[in-house]
Amino acid sequence: MKRLAILASGSGSNAEKIMEHFQNSEIAEIALVASNKADAFVLERAKKFDVPTFTFSRKEMDAGLLLEKLKEENIDWVILAGFLLKIPIELTKAFPDRMVNIHPALLPKYGGKGMYGSFVHEAVKAAGETETGITIHLVNENYDEGRIVFQASTPLTSEDTPDSIAEKVHALEHKHFPEVIEGLL
């Protein structure tokens, strides 16, 4: 049984879909939900599934506290689901090809530092794109540059707004992220 940790910084809708997906799984369990924000709603979502939670600051993460906790919990895979901090290189090295992230655009477009959430959807709208989507990729030491393992797209029209684009992207995330994670395991 693989032990998974989810790292998230916000609401945690993707984390909830992942916890739901693996709730009665025979191949993996969500062993930990960790956040850099003590008031992140993802921590409440974890309680619904009786998943232990852990909070930490950027300084604590950079000092190795998160890595220590992941080792202590015997974590096999780390899932980034709306986690906004850059992962320290020691952490990526500890989970080579066993750390996965989801990005709300079709990488390599609209990736990199500062490109998350509504910022991505606003950029997609401003560029007049006719499609957008999601990218699920392995994590390395650079923002959004790890090996792509899955992409799904959705068409856009001129009537789409950043909010409607976000809704379309969330639908793709919720549909595909848990299944892709299972496939990687």
Side-chain angles (χ1 to χ4, degrees):
M1 176 83 74
K2 300 284 186 205
R3 291 176 56 81
L4 313 182
I6 299 173
L7 305 186
S9 297
S11 165
S13 65
N14 274 313
E16 182 166 2
K17 292 293 182 189
I18 295 163
M19 287 184 278
E20 229 170 61
H21 183 85
F22 289 103
Q23 195 169 18
N24 299 306
S25 171
E26 293 177 12
I27 63 163
E29 66 177 324
I30 308 305
L32 183 69
V33 169
S35 181
N36 60 305
K37 295 186 176 184
D39 62 348
F41 192 68
V42 69
L43 301 170
E44 293 303 311
R45 293 181 194 263
K47 286 179 187 171
K48 284 185 3 188
F49 294 89
D50 295 321
V51 173
T53 61
F54 178 70
T55 58
F56 56 91
S57 67
R58 177 192 298 262
K59 190 175 177 181
E60 289 170 330
M61 178 179 73
D62 290 344
L65 188 67
L66 177 59
L67 178 55
E68 197 177 294
K69 179 68 172 175
L70 296 172
K71 286 180 176 177
E72 184 183 299
E73 296 292 334
N74 297 309
I75 299 300
D76 298 300
W77 276 80
V78 177
I79 313 301
L80 307 185
F83 185 67
L84 301 182
L85 298 181
K86 188 169 192 304
I87 301 293
I89 194 157
E90 299 78 32
L91 201 50
T92 62
K93 285 183 175 176
F95 293 91
D97 295 332
R98 291 183 294 122
M99 186 179 294
V100 65
N101 183 41
I102 190 162
H103 186 76
L106 297 169
L107 291 174
K109 289 182 173 183
Y110 309 105
K113 186 175 171 75
M115 291 305 283
Y116 61 90
S118 61
F119 298 114
V120 173
H121 308 312
E122 289 163 10
V124 166
K125 174 65 179 171
E129 296 286 354
T130 57
E131 74 170 0
T132 191
I134 60 167
T135 301
I136 299 170
H137 64 92
L138 298 177
V139 176
N140 65 16
E141 62 279 0
N142 300 313
Y143 276 117
D144 301 326
E145 291 183 14
R147 183 171 64 84
I148 293 171
V149 293
F150 179 85
Q151 288 186 308
S153 63
T154 184
L156 299 177
T157 69
S158 57
E159 284 79 47
D160 274 307
T161 65
D163 287 342
S164 68
I165 293 169
E167 286 176 25
K168 289 180 176 186
V169 168
H170 273 121
L172 290 175
E173 290 174 342
H174 294 167
K175 177 180 179 187
H176 296 291
F177 202 18
E179 293 170 358
V180 172
I181 293 166
E182 185 169 321
L184 286 170
L185 300 178

